[in-house]
mmCIF file of all heavy atoms in Angstrom:
data_model
loop_
_atom_site.group_PDB
_atom_site.id
_atom_site.type_symbol
_atom_site.label_atom_id
_atom_site.label_comp_id
_atom_site.label_asym_id
_atom_site.label_seq_id
_atom_site.Cartn_x
_atom_site.Cartn_y
_atom_site.Cartn_z
ATOM 1 N N ALA M 161 -10.458 -14.007 11.157
ATOM 2 C CA ALA M 161 -9.007 -13.957 10.940
ATOM 3 C C ALA M 161 -8.416 -15.351 10.821
ATOM 4 O O ALA M 161 -7.460 -15.569 10.066
ATOM 5 C CB ALA M 161 -8.332 -13.197 12.087
ATOM 6 N N ALA M 162 -8.986 -16.310 11.555
ATOM 7 C CA ALA M 162 -8.431 -17.666 11.571
ATOM 8 C C ALA M 162 -8.438 -18.299 10.186
ATOM 9 O O ALA M 162 -7.544 -19.070 9.841
ATOM 10 C CB ALA M 162 -9.217 -18.538 12.551
ATOM 11 N N GLY M 163 -9.432 -17.941 9.373
ATOM 12 C CA GLY M 163 -9.524 -18.524 8.044
ATOM 13 C C GLY M 163 -8.619 -17.872 7.022
ATOM 14 O O GLY M 163 -8.575 -18.302 5.874
ATOM 15 N N ALA M 164 -7.912 -16.814 7.433
ATOM 16 C CA ALA M 164 -7.035 -16.113 6.489
ATOM 17 C C ALA M 164 -5.649 -15.902 7.074
ATOM 18 O O ALA M 164 -4.956 -14.944 6.734
ATOM 19 C CB ALA M 164 -7.659 -14.773 6.124
ATOM 20 N N ALA M 165 -5.234 -16.824 7.927
ATOM 21 C CA ALA M 165 -3.948 -16.673 8.614
ATOM 22 C C ALA M 165 -2.764 -16.723 7.662
ATOM 23 O O ALA M 165 -1.657 -16.306 8.020
ATOM 24 C CB ALA M 165 -3.805 -17.759 9.686
ATOM 25 N N ASP M 166 -2.992 -17.210 6.446
ATOM 26 C CA ASP M 166 -1.894 -17.281 5.473
ATOM 27 C C ASP M 166 -1.513 -15.908 4.920
ATOM 28 O O ASP M 166 -0.367 -15.698 4.502
ATOM 29 C CB ASP M 166 -2.286 -18.208 4.315
ATOM 30 C CG ASP M 166 -3.569 -17.780 3.622
ATOM 31 O OD1 ASP M 166 -4.469 -17.243 4.312
ATOM 32 O OD2 ASP M 166 -3.691 -17.982 2.401
ATOM 33 N N ILE M 167 -2.448 -14.964 4.948
ATOM 34 C CA ILE M 167 -2.165 -13.646 4.374
ATOM 35 C C ILE M 167 -2.362 -12.490 5.353
ATOM 36 O O ILE M 167 -1.977 -11.360 5.058
ATOM 37 C CB ILE M 167 -3.041 -13.380 3.140
ATOM 38 C CG1 ILE M 167 -4.523 -13.363 3.526
ATOM 39 C CG2 ILE M 167 -2.783 -14.392 2.038
ATOM 40 C CD1 ILE M 167 -5.388 -12.577 2.594
ATOM 41 N N LEU M 168 -2.974 -12.770 6.516
ATOM 42 C CA LEU M 168 -3.261 -11.708 7.472
ATOM 43 C C LEU M 168 -2.691 -12.027 8.849
ATOM 44 O O LEU M 168 -2.633 -13.186 9.255
ATOM 45 C CB LEU M 168 -4.777 -11.503 7.605
ATOM 46 C CG LEU M 168 -5.559 -11.098 6.351
ATOM 47 C CD1 LEU M 168 -7.039 -10.987 6.676
ATOM 48 C CD2 LEU M 168 -5.043 -9.787 5.782
ATOM 49 N N ASP M 169 -2.290 -10.992 9.566
ATOM 50 C CA ASP M 169 -1.924 -11.104 10.976
ATOM 51 C C ASP M 169 -3.054 -10.505 11.804
ATOM 52 O O ASP M 169 -3.698 -9.535 11.402
ATOM 53 C CB ASP M 169 -0.627 -10.338 11.274
ATOM 54 C CG ASP M 169 0.605 -11.036 10.718
ATOM 55 O OD1 ASP M 169 0.541 -12.267 10.496
ATOM 56 O OD2 ASP M 169 1.634 -10.362 10.494
ATOM 57 N N ALA M 170 -3.290 -11.084 12.977
ATOM 58 C CA ALA M 170 -4.329 -10.606 13.887
ATOM 59 C C ALA M 170 -3.691 -9.935 15.094
ATOM 60 O O ALA M 170 -2.829 -10.518 15.746
ATOM 61 C CB ALA M 170 -5.220 -11.760 14.333
ATOM 62 N N ILE M 171 -4.122 -8.717 15.382
ATOM 63 C CA ILE M 171 -3.616 -7.949 16.506
ATOM 64 C C ILE M 171 -4.660 -7.952 17.612
ATOM 65 O O ILE M 171 -5.812 -7.550 17.392
ATOM 66 C CB ILE M 171 -3.301 -6.491 16.100
ATOM 67 C CG1 ILE M 171 -2.470 -6.446 14.811
ATOM 68 C CG2 ILE M 171 -2.631 -5.752 17.244
ATOM 69 C CD1 ILE M 171 -1.151 -7.152 14.890
ATOM 70 N N GLU M 172 -4.286 -8.383 18.804
ATOM 71 C CA GLU M 172 -5.207 -8.441 19.934
ATOM 72 C C GLU M 172 -5.610 -7.037 20.384
ATOM 73 O O GLU M 172 -4.807 -6.105 20.381
ATOM 74 C CB GLU M 172 -4.542 -9.179 21.100
ATOM 75 C CG GLU M 172 -5.421 -9.341 22.323
ATOM 76 C CD GLU M 172 -4.687 -10.011 23.472
ATOM 77 O OE1 GLU M 172 -3.477 -10.308 23.322
ATOM 78 O OE2 GLU M 172 -5.318 -10.237 24.518
ATOM 79 N N ILE M 173 -6.879 -6.897 20.755
ATOM 80 C CA ILE M 173 -7.373 -5.654 21.353
ATOM 81 C C ILE M 173 -7.351 -5.850 22.865
ATOM 82 O O ILE M 173 -8.145 -6.618 23.409
ATOM 83 C CB ILE M 173 -8.790 -5.314 20.855
ATOM 84 C CG1 ILE M 173 -8.761 -5.071 19.339
ATOM 85 C CG2 ILE M 173 -9.347 -4.094 21.593
ATOM 86 C CD1 ILE M 173 -10.125 -4.878 18.719
#
Side-chain angles (χ1 to χ4, degrees):
D166 57 326
I167 63 156
L168 299 178
D169 287 337
I171 312 300
E172 182 183 2
I173 297 174

